[in-house]
Amino acid sequence: MFPENWKALQVFLALATQWRMVGVSTMTTVRLIQTGIDYAAIVPVLRLLRVKPARHAALFRKLQAMEQAVLDVVHAS
């Protein structure tokens, strides 16, 4: 882990319960699909973790990269 990514990882982990899920149903099964992080939760988490507003945009870009990596893996299976 590069030191410049540590705060982004902390924020990402703090958002672990903030993933949006969609239920897809067939006649026999229901499957939950992750669609991404609830972006409305990001700023409150950044505030709780005392991230300076000047760093929000850069951290948001890193969060999006991690979010997309998760979605790529989850949706590949």
Side-chain angles (χ1 to χ4, degrees):
M1 164 77 46
F2 293 109
E4 62 267 22
N5 293 326
W6 178 241
K7 184 55 76 176
L9 178 61
Q10 288 179 307
V11 174
F12 185 78
L13 293 175
L15 290 165
T17 60
Q18 299 304 312
W19 282 84
R20 290 186 178 218
M21 307 289 280
V22 173
V24 177
S25 176
T26 65
M27 295 300 283
T28 58
T29 62
V30 175
R31 186 173 158 211
L32 290 175
I33 299 173
Q34 289 177 303
T35 60
I37 295 171
D38 182 355
Y39 285 2
I42 294 173
V43 171
V45 168
L46 292 173
R47 287 182 184 150
L48 285 169
L49 295 178
R50 298 184 182 188
V51 176
K52 294 178 182 175
R55 296 188 60 206
H56 286 194
L59 279 172
F60 181 69
R61 288 189 296 275
K62 290 179 180 185
L63 288 172
Q64 283 186 306
M66 290 188 279
E67 173 190 44
Q68 189 58 56
V70 169
L71 291 172
D72 290 346
V73 170
V74 169
H75 292 211
S77 56

